[in-house]
Amino acid sequence: MGFLKGLFGKKEVPKRQLESPSDLMIGDMISLDDSFALPPQLRGQQLRVESVNTYEYERSQKPEWVLKGHGKDTIFLSLDEDDETYLALSIKVNRGQVEQIFDLEHFGAIFEEDEQAQLTTLALPNELAAEFEQWLGKEYHQVNFTQFGYFHREDYRGKKPPQDEDGATGEAFESYLLLDDDERFAIDVEVYDGGETDVMLTLYRPLSDIRDYWPGK
């Protein structure tokens, strides 16, 4: 018996099968299409899952995959699930960049309850255009005002985030969402306790933009 065992060697443990973004875990990698429809930060890139976060809302929760490639940019991936499922790929912009992309007075209307913000993308200076042009629609309208949630730096897929006596244990935030007319681009704004604000430029792409998946160790 020992002889036969030696002859055929140890059975290899089958590698995890990755068939969709929802299978991704820390250490896994994806490669993206090299189509010119994608911005330079995504086009033909190989990206590694650095962490998986969870957004918890009153009636739902959804994962966010934090991806890094060879470039300096961090890419945030989530899934937009409606009649069809799309990749929601996002990049964070700082306040200085927001001031150059949008009129700040119009941007401030996002947080006014009695206003439905409408934003027009400004003509961008060259260096910003190269970086962000393909992340932006021309006109945006607000579709969501003050959605409350909790942000967790943990992967809670398939389980409920822990609760303390006050309710949830993540970082509380309010989110605001604007879409362009074709619903191909979005602006996601998250305001945390203490006023810290994250602004993300989001673009929606077909699942087929992920060309390959590689399981991590």
Side-chain angles (χ1 to χ4, degrees):
M1 199 60 189
F3 167 75
L4 285 175
K5 225 174 173 179
L7 200 63
F8 295 111
K10 277 194 186 141
K11 257 197 169 164
E12 257 194 46
V13 180
K15 276 217 168 85
R16 274 171 51 235
Q17 293 297 306
L18 300 182
E19 281 158 15
S20 90
S22 48
D23 300 328
L24 288 169
M25 295 169 80
I26 292 171
D28 293 342
M29 290 186 73
I30 58 172
S31 72
L32 294 173
D33 197 7
D34 58 3
S35 155
F36 282 101
L38 289 173
Q41 298 91 334
L42 301 176
R43 193 184 307 142
Q45 293 292 324
Q46 288 186 1
L47 301 170
R48 180 181 184 275
V49 180
E50 297 292 318
S51 57
V52 184
N53 301 322
T54 303
Y55 282 92
E56 178 190 8
Y57 300 101
E58 192 183 355
R59 291 190 176 81
S60 66
Q61 61 188 58
K62 70 176 192 174
E64 172 192 72
W65 294 270
V66 182
L67 308 172
K68 287 286 278 189
H70 294 304
K72 64 179 177 15
D73 298 288
T74 300
I75 306 296
F76 301 91
L77 167 68
S78 58
L79 294 177
D80 182 62
E81 300 179 273
D82 199 3
D83 300 337
E84 283 183 59
T85 301
Y86 288 92
L87 304 171
L89 294 148
S90 304
I91 196 166
K92 208 174 272 192
V93 284
N94 61 37
R95 186 188 164 92
Q97 291 163 334
V98 171
E99 285 178 4
Q100 291 180 281
I101 297 170
F102 302 110
D103 178 302
L104 268 198
E105 206 172 302
H106 293 166
F107 195 84
I110 293 170
F111 311 105
E112 301 297 331
E113 204 163 344
D114 52 352
E115 291 195 46
Q116 208 65 16
Q118 305 276 340
L119 290 183
T120 301
T121 304
L122 302 174
L124 301 179
N126 286 346
E127 70 281 3
L128 269 197
E131 203 172 344
F132 297 124
E133 202 164 43
Q134 286 186 275
W135 290 93
L136 289 161
K138 286 189 169 59
E139 308 273 341
Y140 291 88
H141 58 279
Q142 189 163 356
V143 292
N144 159 345
F145 183 85
T146 320
Q147 186 178 12
F148 291 99
Y150 293 91
F151 175 71
H152 303 268
R153 296 178 194 278
E154 289 284 338
D155 182 357
Y156 288 119
R157 278 176 288 179
K159 50 186 190 252
K160 193 99 181 82
Q163 312 287 305
D164 60 17
E165 290 118 55
D166 302 329
T169 52
E171 300 169 51
F173 70 89
E174 298 171 0
S175 76
Y176 304 81
L177 178 69
L178 296 94
L179 287 173
D180 81 317
D181 294 341
D182 298 327
E183 300 192 359
R184 287 176 51 226
F185 299 97
I187 299 159
D188 288 286
V189 183
E190 294 162 10
V191 182
Y192 288 85
D193 284 354
E196 187 197 330
T197 302
D198 285 344
V199 179
M200 318 274 268
L201 306 180
T202 297
L203 94 143
Y204 299 111
R205 296 291 305 170
L207 294 175
S208 57
D209 273 5
I210 299 181
R211 304 312 298 264
D212 283 302
Y213 295 88
W214 292 281
K217 295 283 175 279

